[in-house]
Amino acid sequence: ALLLPPASLLGVTAAFVIFKKIRSRPLPKGRNQWYTTLLPYWTVTGFVLHPVVTNVFITNMMEFTNVNDELLLAVNMDIHWFSPDHTRNIGLAMVGLFLYTLGIPVVFYLLLRSVRKSLYDTKTKAMLGFLYSGYEDSCFYWEVLIMGRKVL
């Protein structure tokens, strides 16, 4: 589960490159052009994966079933409550929750904050518009708060 978001971003990037090659269109030149071209795809991928990955981390850490007076992890009945495997799952889940559950909204907020003065610029709207276009200028960050609320 820890590798799902980075693998998805790599997959989106690979699909973009393959699509450009198939359509015989030139690839972006320079790091800045790659960044501005791929940022919308990466943002949508992160936005969609955020609740999914959070659910996986919480499920692997906390969802147990009582079987014959033993608590077993619901997704893997071989793991007992606070066994070494469960302790490992807790550690990995905590890392994942910190990196992704908190990290994705923080990155989105920092991206939006860095462009808050140019929200109506065509380039900015193309890159990050779906995160703020439905809100007033002073509430450009509201989608990030909604992402956090969905986790709770």
Side-chain angles (χ1 to χ4, degrees), residues 128-146:
L128 298 169
F130 87 98
L131 285 175
Y132 65 84
S133 62
Y135 305 106
E136 295 179 13
D137 292 351
S138 61
C139 298
F140 65 90
Y141 55 85
W142 199 254
E143 192 65 44
V144 175
L145 294 177
I146 291 175

Side-chain angles (χ1 to χ4, degrees), residues 52-140:
V52 174
V53 171
T54 299
N55 186 24
V56 168
F57 291 134
I58 291 173
T59 301
N60 279 322
M61 183 173 65
M62 309 215 24
E63 194 171 315
F64 281 84
T65 303
N66 191 350
V67 178
N68 296 331
D69 292 332
E70 290 186 62
L71 290 174
L72 303 174
L73 187 64
V75 294
N76 183 352
M77 295 288 200
D78 293 331
I79 298 178
H80 294 269
W81 180 260
F82 276 110
S83 68
D85 288 334
H86 179 233
T87 306
R88 184 199 66 227
N89 280 5
I90 289 173
L92 290 173
M94 295 305 279
V95 169
L97 287 170
F98 181 76
L99 285 176
Y100 300 119
T101 302
L102 295 175
I104 290 173
V106 167
V107 168
F108 285 170
Y109 174 75
L110 293 174
L111 283 170
L112 289 171
R113 188 167 176 248
S114 70
V115 297
R116 70 182 179 274
K117 302 237 189 279
S118 61
L119 292 177
Y120 292 106
D121 182 41
T122 307
K123 190 175 178 182
T124 303
K125 204 162 188 107
M127 287 192 311
L128 298 169
F130 87 98
L131 285 175
Y132 65 84
S133 62
Y135 305 106
E136 295 179 13
D137 292 351
S138 61
C139 298
F140 65 90

Side-chain angles (χ1 to χ4, degrees), residues 6-40:
S8 298
L9 294 179
L10 286 174
V12 166
T13 304
F16 173 79
V17 169
I18 291 168
F19 181 75
K20 286 287 193 176
K21 290 290 186 183
I22 289 172
R23 305 267 316 212
S24 299
R25 297 212 174 134
L27 292 173
K29 296 193 185 327
R31 189 170 68 180
N32 191 35
Q33 195 174 21
W34 272 97
Y35 174 76
T36 57
T37 303
L38 287 173
L39 186 61

